[in-house]
Amino acid sequence: MNKIKDLTSGNIFTQIVKLAIPIIATSFVQMSYNMTDMAWLGHVGKETVSAVGMALYLVWFGSSLMYITKIGAR
């Protein structure tokens, strides 16, 4: 159960892909969640879709700023 994976040896491309797959999957889930919101709100009106789109952009931008400080502090 406590199997340790050594990502510092072997082919570097394979190791990077192994590290990137969870991040890619998380991004895909978040993108599909946002697209589902847009599809549902599309029935309400174009103003609603544009407001939610702008809000999602601001949330993404704020998260990016937070991650910069979080990653830089390590």
Side-chain angles (χ1 to χ4, degrees):
M1 183 121 188
N2 291 330
K3 187 175 181 182
I4 297 175
K5 294 184 180 184
D6 184 15
L7 296 175
T8 60
S9 62
N11 186 359
I12 191 164
F13 181 76
T14 305
Q15 303 303 334
I16 290 174
V17 170
K18 285 180 183 178
L19 288 172
I21 286 175
I23 297 169
I24 293 169
T26 303
S27 296
F28 180 74
V29 168
Q30 185 65 40
M31 181 184 64
S32 63
Y33 176 76
N34 292 339
M35 291 299 289
T36 304
D37 280 349
M38 292 291 195
W40 278 97
L41 292 173
H43 298 290
V44 177
K46 60 184 176 183
E47 294 85 8
T48 307
V49 173
S50 63
V52 170
M54 185 62 189
L56 291 175
Y57 174 74
L58 292 175
V59 168
W60 171 81
F61 185 70
S63 296
S64 299
L65 292 176
M66 181 187 65
Y67 288 136
I68 287 173
T69 59
K70 186 178 180 181
I71 292 171
R74 290 186 182 198

